[in-house]
Structure formats: C-alpha cells, structure tokens
Amino acid sequence: MQLRYQYRVYPTPSQQNMLARSFGCARVVFNDALRARQDAHAAGVKLSDTDVQKQVITAAKRTPERAWLAEVASVVLVQSVRDSATAYRNWFDSLAGKRKGRKVGPPRFRSRKDTRQAIRLTRNGFSIRGNRKLYIAKVGEVKVAWSRDLPSEPSSVSIIKDAAGRYFASFVVETTDVPLPESDAEVGIDLGLTTFAVLSDGKTITTPKFLRRAERTLCKAQQALSRKQKGSNNRAKARVRVAKAHAKVADARKDWAHKNSTAIIRENQAVFVEDLCVTGLARTRLAKSVHDAGWGMFTRMVEEKAARYGRTFVKVDRFYPSSQLCSTCGVQDGPKPLSVREWQCAACGAVHDRDLNAAKNILAAGRAERRNACGGTVNPAA
C-alpha cells in the first residue's frame, strides 16, 4: 500500500528563492503543455506525451523566451508535463464514465496567484542525507522537522508551499501494515451537529467547533485585510495573517479527526456509518456548521484506516429511516422534527434518545448489509 508522509521543512531565504523559481517554471511548463494539447486538438493532430515533452521542455530551452527553464531541475519540468497528461486523462475518463466519483472538468491553466504551489521530484531529483536533511536538486540541503521515521525508502517527494507561506515535504512510501488484533465489538455511528457523533454503545463525541471558536480572530484578521490597499505590501502581509488563522483551524480539525478515527478503528472490528450527503447539506442554512464539523473528512479517515488495519467499514444508505425506527421492536414511527430529541414508541412503549436510537438502527442495518451476500433488501429487525 502506498501512503504519504508529510513533514514541515524550513528552507533558507536563498533556497526559498530557488524553490520559487522551480514553482514558476513548473507552472509555465504545465500551461505550455495544456496549450500544446489544445492547439493539437483544434488542428486535428494527434500528439503523444513524448511529443509534448520534447516541445515544451527540450525545444523550449533552446529559445530565448524559455531559456531560463534550464535554471531548475529537469525532473521538476518532466513531472509537470506528466501532471498535465494525467489531468487530461482524468477528464476524458470522467466523460466516458470510466472514472468513479463526481464529474471532472477540463484542466485549467495555473496562475502565479494560486495560494498553493507545488513541485514533484522522483528518486533522481532528491535524497535524504546522513545529516537527516533533504537534498533537492538545484536547491540544496533543506532542514526537515522529522516527527516520525519513514517506514521505507520514498519513491517520490512533493515540495509544497501553502497559502500561509509554510513549506512541506510530502513523501510517497510503500508500507506493509499489520492488521490489528481482532475485536468482538461492532459499532454504529450517528453523526450530528450538536453532538458530533453518538455511538451505538452509548459513547458520545462532542463537537469541537474549531471554526466557531476562532471566528473572532478570523473576523479581525479579515477586517484588517479588507482595509489594506490592493496591491500593497501591507495587504500581502495581511493576507498571510488570514491564511495562517485559517490554517490553524484546519490543522486542529484534521488532528482531532485523526485521533478520534484511530480510536474507533482500534476498539471496533466493524464500523457502520450513515452515508450523508454533505454536499447537499452544505447548501442549506446549516452550511457553516456542516463544514466546521468535517463529516466527510472524518468518515474518509475511518474508511481508509479500516482498509489499512483489516477492519470492516460499511456505509448505510442515506435514505434509511434510522431516526424513525424503534430499535427495540422495529416499528417505524414516522418522521420527526429536529427539535424532538427524545420520543416514545407507540407500539412497545420504549423511550428512546433520538441519536442513540439512530446509532443502534445504523448498527443493525450495517450488520444486515454486511451479511447480505445477494445484495437484496434486508430487514434489520429480522
């Protein structure tokens, strides 16, 4: 299994200048490759990946307009051309229905004003030296904050500069993960806004509300940005301050989601979650709270870690009436407004907490779906 290990790096001012050149050259080559493919398509000419590379790198370096491409490592330019080819391939596969997930649009031209800049290097363009520094071709040895050791020799590395001006090295490595010891516990999870998650075993995970807690700081930073003159150095500094505030919120949310998803995977052999339509919910008046909760990121982490550590992960159909069914007798009691947090079953008289009852129903539905080998409809109550 291939995984990414990301670390913070601290280039010197001269190394930052060289990285800025590399970012710019990679961006120009990517745009030239897109333009070459568009021109070839308009002229009805077939252009292979090798032809594009020769045109936008080899031949371009000999021209006065693109002679400065030779100042950066060639591996950066080659990988940029491959990125453009991958972008076109993904677009065509999406049009043909070969690519899973949402539809992908045509690749767009990159801009120097993009808040995120990145380059990728293969093994002939980088190495990890004995002094624990990362050597990057034509840049030099860069200091790395090693939070943990790499499990194996990396096959490639991406150098990333985010909107907050921070630099990261993202390594691609091969791992052979050992499955966790088997557990008898299985859990259903009902996600919400007031309480982030209610588990079928009675445990609850409170909503951290990282964005809501940081709103005052973000508001002040964004007001200061709006008052700066466009194009000025003070506006550029204020933009970085806003980006750092948002990065702090995003990092805290991601760290929290990693810790909680790991704890759930360690404790349970099977995890069942409702397949929520986050995109649709993000169009409602609850959009800010939905994005702040990070349901999609959390469920994706649980799914990836389940596959990595030999656990079972099942998504229950989003139209399954988990809040309407009685988890005791299985009678459907009809829809209820969100203000109803506790209700009594009219058939058996059992009193239910809305979220805990939904989590138990999700657990039952997930088990039924897991044991249903034919793929037909299964009654969880049965």
Side-chain angles (χ1 to χ4, degrees):
M1 178 185 292
Q2 282 191 335
L3 292 178
R4 280 194 176 272
Y5 280 65
Q6 184 167 291
Y7 304 87
R8 184 85 179 267
V9 295
Y10 297 91
T12 62
S14 60
Q15 290 173 343
Q16 290 180 18
N17 291 334
M18 196 61 209
L19 285 173
R21 290 187 185 182
S22 300
F23 294 145
C25 291
R27 182 180 62 250
V28 168
V29 167
F30 182 89
N31 292 341
D32 288 347
L34 288 188
R35 194 173 294 109
R37 292 179 185 277
Q38 290 178 354
D39 295 343
H41 178 72
V45 179
K46 292 190 70 175
L47 207 61
S48 66
D49 294 345
T50 305
D51 295 334
V52 173
Q53 182 174 321
K54 289 179 180 178
Q55 179 178 333
V56 302
I57 298 179
T58 308
K61 285 181 179 180
R62 301 192 184 104
T63 63
E65 296 82 5
R66 293 285 189 268
W68 37 264
L69 290 177
E71 297 176 3
V72 302
S74 60
V75 62
V76 171
L77 308 181
V78 172
Q79 295 304 312
S80 189
V81 173
R82 292 184 178 179
D83 287 344
S84 68
T86 302
Y88 259 103
R89 194 173 300 112
N90 290 340
W91 179 36
F92 292 144
D93 289 346
S94 181
L95 291 175
K98 298 178 182 178
R99 193 175 189 274
K100 295 181 180 180
R102 65 176 63 186
K103 293 291 183 180
V104 176
R108 68 171 184 85
F109 290 100
R110 293 177 178 174
S111 170
R112 64 182 180 86
K113 295 183 179 180
D114 290 341
T115 56
R116 183 182 182 275
Q117 303 286 344
I119 56 173
R120 189 172 67 255
L121 302 101
T122 50
R123 286 179 179 173
N124 58 339
F126 77 98
S127 64
I128 300 174
R129 297 293 172 85
N131 56 3
R132 304 274 290 173
K133 288 188 176 182
L134 172 64
Y135 172 76
I136 304 172
K138 298 263 181 111
V139 175
E141 295 182 352
V142 181
K143 181 183 176 182
V144 183
W146 296 103
S147 56
R148 53 182 171 171
D149 293 331
L150 290 171
S152 62
E153 193 71 20
S155 59
S156 67
V157 63
S158 296
I159 307 300
I160 304 164
K161 182 184 178 183
D162 67 0
R166 303 177 301 177
Y167 291 85
F168 297 92
S170 180
F171 297 93
V172 176
V173 296
E174 285 283 346
T175 61
T176 53
D177 294 306
V178 180
L180 290 171
E182 289 195 9
S183 172
D184 296 331
E186 295 183 353
V187 69
I189 303 176
D190 179 63
L191 299 174
L193 294 177
T194 306
T195 303
F196 178 79
V198 177
L199 280 59
S200 58
D201 57 8
K203 295 180 182 178
T204 59
I205 301 175
T206 57
T207 304
K209 297 183 179 178
F210 294 107
L211 181 62
R212 296 288 186 181
R213 282 158 46 188
E215 272 186 327
R216 188 172 181 180
T217 304
L218 288 168
C219 181
K220 288 183 178 180
Q222 288 164 346
Q223 283 181 344
L225 173 63
S226 66
R227 291 167 181 159
K228 299 295 186 289
Q229 184 178 357
K230 290 186 177 180
S232 65
N233 290 333
N234 284 336
R235 185 177 177 87
K237 294 176 185 176
R239 185 202 62 78
V240 173
R241 282 193 290 270
V242 172
K244 285 183 178 179
H246 278 288
K248 186 176 181 180
V249 173
D251 290 346
R253 185 187 295 115
K254 187 181 294 184
D255 178 69
W256 179 88
H258 267 299
K259 289 176 179 176
N260 283 275
S261 59
T262 301
I264 289 174
I265 289 299
R266 281 177 178 169
E267 296 170 0
N268 300 280
Q269 184 65 33
V271 181
F272 309 104
V273 182
E274 188 176 6
D275 185 17
L276 296 173
C277 182
V278 179
T279 305
L281 292 169
R283 298 194 187 103
T284 65
R285 59 185 178 85
L286 300 173
K288 183 182 284 189
S289 297
V290 169
H291 285 303
D292 192 15
W295 291 333
M297 179 176 59
F298 176 78
T299 54
R300 184 179 69 253
M301 287 181 181
V302 174
E303 184 175 8
E304 291 172 353
K305 291 173 183 179
R308 183 178 175 185
Y309 295 115
R311 299 306 202 201
T312 300
F313 177 83
V314 176
K315 282 187 177 181
V316 177
D317 185 16
R318 66 185 60 168
F319 298 108
Y320 175 69
S322 59
S323 298
Q324 303 177 24
L325 290 172
C326 173
S327 58
T328 303
C329 64
V331 172
Q332 187 168 346
D333 204 21
K336 302 166 187 65
L338 289 175
S339 58
V340 177
R341 309 312 305 170
E342 191 175 282
W343 57 281
Q344 184 175 13
C345 178
C348 66
V351 179
H352 298 292
D353 176 82
R354 181 192 183 101
D355 297 332
L356 180 57
N357 177 72
K360 290 179 179 178
N361 286 328
I362 290 172
L363 173 62
R367 283 174 171 171
E369 182 67 27
R370 180 185 177 187
R371 296 166 184 170
N372 179 23
C374 300
T377 304
V378 173
N379 183 6

